[in-house]
């Protein structure tokens, strides 16, 4: 078993005092729909409303502020897909020192622009956070700047742990805390704080199934690198847990669950529609777990942390569409009709009588699989949910149309 000194409550409380003048005390808000789903009161801890749009400044500021003055004078460097980058850039600016950030080539444009706006010098390097981190480490060795790791340092863990102290103040009888998990700094901090102050609270980590390094790592008893990552939740797409977080999580967290891409998009859509909160896919991972996994009979109240809200509007548009499809509110299909006058009108008539609204339509005569007298219509319609989606498909098939549903 991987062993390392566990961060203590005294260090976390010191971080809370240090951060109090500069970090927002983010609200917790109730969610009726999630409460009904979980069978217990569910509240959302809105770190998407934190400075820079995520929980990351808690750890970054605590780490940088605790550096000796001579070390701070040489500046800091970080690697991040966006949230840690902004946290480091903002923290360095607040403390009056220079910062350099390495981001993956495909980093979100709004996160890139925001990081520069906070005063960091930004370089694009590599296709993943891990590759950007290698570039940041080389820069640190070459220039003497201090590498501010996104999760693998005790001061980072202690800073992130202050989220848990706020939760305990806002929801003193909290029974379960659900935590989006990438490298593990937030999960480790929450687990340490709750174990010290309220050990009865159940802590559950949540990873994207397409970037889930933690289950295998915990089974192996040491951090293991995941072989492949492909998820919209870039904020928790980390190839290998950090050694410091691993020591805490292995000791204190007994449950980590995974969620798929459909669940992430549906969770983001729910936050937008029902809670009126803009949350990035990684930040919605806890909500996705409550919606899609077998998390039942949880000790309540349940608090799930919305860890970030920095999402590219273009990605938000795509994820909303994906979420609507996953929730059965978009239906994309290909329908074969006869190539004669009135056939398309008849198809749309069935759709209209079934109560669906057409979003877009493409009429094609060129498919190799079509007979000479056939046409394929690609049709996307709005539906009112899975049951209505099935009703529309049944109505078309009952009317004699050949239908292939794509989503």
């Amino acid at each position: 078993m991987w062993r390392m000194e566990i961060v203590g409550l005294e260090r976390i409380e010191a971080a809370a005092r240090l951060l109090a003048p500069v970090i927002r005390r983010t609200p917790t808000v109730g969610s009726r729909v999630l409460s009904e789903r979980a069978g217990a009161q569910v509240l959302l801890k809105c770190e998407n409303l934190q400075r820079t749009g995520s929980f990351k400044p808690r750890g970054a500021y605590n780490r940088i502020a605790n550096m000796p003055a001579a070390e701070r004078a040489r500046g800091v460097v970080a690697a991040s897909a966006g949230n840690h980058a902004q946290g480091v850039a903002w923290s360095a600016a607040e403390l009056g020192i220079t910062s350099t950030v390495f981001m993956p080539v495909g980093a979100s444009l709004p996160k890139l622009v925001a990081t520069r706006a906070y005063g960091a010098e930004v370089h694009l390097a590599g296709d993943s956070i891990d590759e950007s981190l290698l570039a940041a480490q080389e820069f640190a060795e070459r220039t003497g700047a201090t590498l501010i790791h996104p999760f693998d340092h005790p001061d980072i863990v202690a800073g992130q742990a202050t989220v848990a102290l706020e939760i305990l103040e806002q929801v003193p009888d909290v029974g379960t805390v659900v935590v989006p998990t990438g490298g593990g700094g937030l999960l480790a901090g929450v687990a340490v704080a709750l174990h010290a102050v309220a050990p009865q609270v159940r802590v559950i980590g949540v990873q994207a199934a397409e970037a889930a390094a933690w289950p295998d790592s915990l089974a192996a008893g040491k951090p293991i690198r995941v072989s492949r990552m492909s998820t919209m939740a870039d904020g928790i797409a980390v190839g290998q847990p950090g050694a410091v977080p691993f020591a805490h999580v292995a000791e204190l967290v007994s449950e980590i669950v995974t969620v798929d891409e459909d669940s992430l998009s549906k969770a983001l859509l729910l936050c937008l529609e029902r809670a009126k909160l803009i949350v990035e896919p990684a930040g919605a991972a806890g909500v996705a777990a409550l919606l899609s996994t077998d998390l039942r009979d949880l000790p309540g109240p349940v608090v799930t942390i919305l860890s970030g809200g920095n999402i590219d509007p273009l990605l938000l548009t795509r994820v909303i569409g994906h979420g609507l499809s996953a929730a059965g509110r978009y239906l994309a299909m290909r329908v074969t009709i006869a190539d004669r006058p009135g056939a398309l009108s008849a198809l749309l008539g069935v759709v209209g009588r079934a109560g669906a609204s057409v979003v877009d339509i493409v009429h094609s005569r060129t498919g190799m699989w079509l007979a000479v007298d056939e046409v394929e219509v690609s049709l996307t319609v709005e539906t009112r949910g899975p049951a209505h989606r099935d009703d529309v498909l049944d109505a078309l098939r009952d009317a004699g149309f050949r239908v292939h549903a794509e989503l």
Side-chain angles (χ1 to χ4, degrees), residues 5-382:
E5 180 184 357
I6 299 296
V7 172
L9 180 60
E10 183 177 344
R11 192 171 193 161
I12 296 169
E13 291 176 334
R17 291 191 295 271
L18 177 68
L19 294 172
V22 294
I23 292 293
R24 290 175 182 153
R25 180 185 170 90
T26 56
T28 54
V29 297
S31 171
R32 182 178 60 82
V33 64
L34 288 175
S35 297
E36 292 173 353
R37 174 76 179 177
Q41 181 187 15
V42 174
L43 301 102
L44 309 174
K45 176 61 171 169
C46 300
E47 283 294 288
N48 58 312
L49 303 179
Q50 186 54 263
R51 293 188 183 278
T52 78
S54 84
F55 70 96
K56 288 291 189 176
R58 295 176 183 268
Y61 190 97
N62 188 55
R63 168 77 173 95
I64 297 170
N66 279 307
M67 290 165 47
E71 191 176 355
R72 276 198 254 170
R74 294 193 296 271
V76 295
V77 60
S80 167
N83 287 344
H84 179 62
Q86 291 175 73
V88 168
W90 173 83
S91 299
E94 287 289 304
L95 292 164
I97 65 174
T98 60
S99 63
T100 303
V101 174
F102 289 82
M103 302 178 75
V105 172
S108 159
L109 180 60
K111 291 180 179 180
L112 176 63
V113 170
T115 302
R116 285 179 171 146
Y118 288 123
E121 180 180 336
V122 177
H123 302 278
L124 300 180
D127 295 321
S128 68
I129 297 175
D130 294 325
E131 291 178 5
S132 298
L133 184 58
L134 290 175
Q137 289 169 335
E138 186 278 331
F139 179 89
E141 292 169 1
R142 177 165 48 86
T143 65
T146 298
L147 177 68
I148 307 301
H149 198 282
F151 47 82
D152 206 12
H153 192 280
D155 282 338
I156 296 290
V157 171
Q160 318 306 26
T162 61
V163 176
L165 296 186
E166 286 186 16
I167 290 173
L168 287 171
E169 292 172 358
Q170 294 166 327
V171 191
D173 58 341
V174 60
T176 305
V177 178
V178 185
V179 188
T181 304
L186 179 60
L187 178 63
V190 168
V192 172
L194 292 177
H195 180 75
V197 181
Q200 76 282 359
V201 178
R202 182 176 174 184
V203 179
I204 300 172
V206 184
Q207 286 213 285
E210 298 301 320
W214 277 96
D216 288 345
S217 295
L218 291 172
K222 62 181 181 180
I224 298 293
R225 181 170 296 279
V226 69
S227 59
R228 176 181 173 275
M229 294 188 297
S230 178
T231 177
M232 69 177 77
D234 62 341
I236 53 175
V238 176
Q240 180 173 318
V244 173
F246 186 86
H248 298 73
V249 172
E251 186 82 17
L252 303 173
V253 178
S254 60
E255 189 169 5
I256 292 182
V257 301
T258 61
V259 293
D260 62 22
E261 300 298 286
D262 280 357
S263 299
L264 287 167
S265 60
K266 285 191 284 188
L268 187 149
L269 185 62
L270 182 143
C271 290
L272 185 63
E273 281 194 313
R274 304 298 294 271
K276 316 305 178 190
L277 293 167
I278 295 177
V279 182
E280 63 189 275
V287 174
L290 294 176
L291 287 175
S292 64
T293 65
D294 293 329
L295 292 178
R296 297 290 183 276
D297 302 318
L298 296 175
V302 178
V303 175
T304 184
I305 299 172
L306 304 181
S307 57
N310 294 313
I311 183 168
D312 187 326
L314 293 175
L315 176 60
L316 179 61
T317 300
R318 294 197 297 271
V319 172
I320 288 173
H322 189 266
L324 289 170
S325 297
R329 292 167 56 189
Y330 267 2
L331 168 60
M333 54 189 163
R334 300 195 308 272
V335 185
T336 303
I337 64 174
D339 188 11
R340 62 171 183 263
L344 179 58
S345 178
L347 168 64
L348 296 179
V350 174
V351 170
R353 287 190 294 275
S357 178
V358 175
V359 177
D360 59 54
I361 184 169
V362 177
H363 189 265
S364 175
R365 290 186 171 87
T366 60
M368 294 179 61
W369 55 91
L370 296 172
V372 174
D373 60 347
E374 290 181 334
V375 171
E376 183 177 79
V377 177
S378 296
L379 190 64
T380 303
V381 300
E382 290 182 3

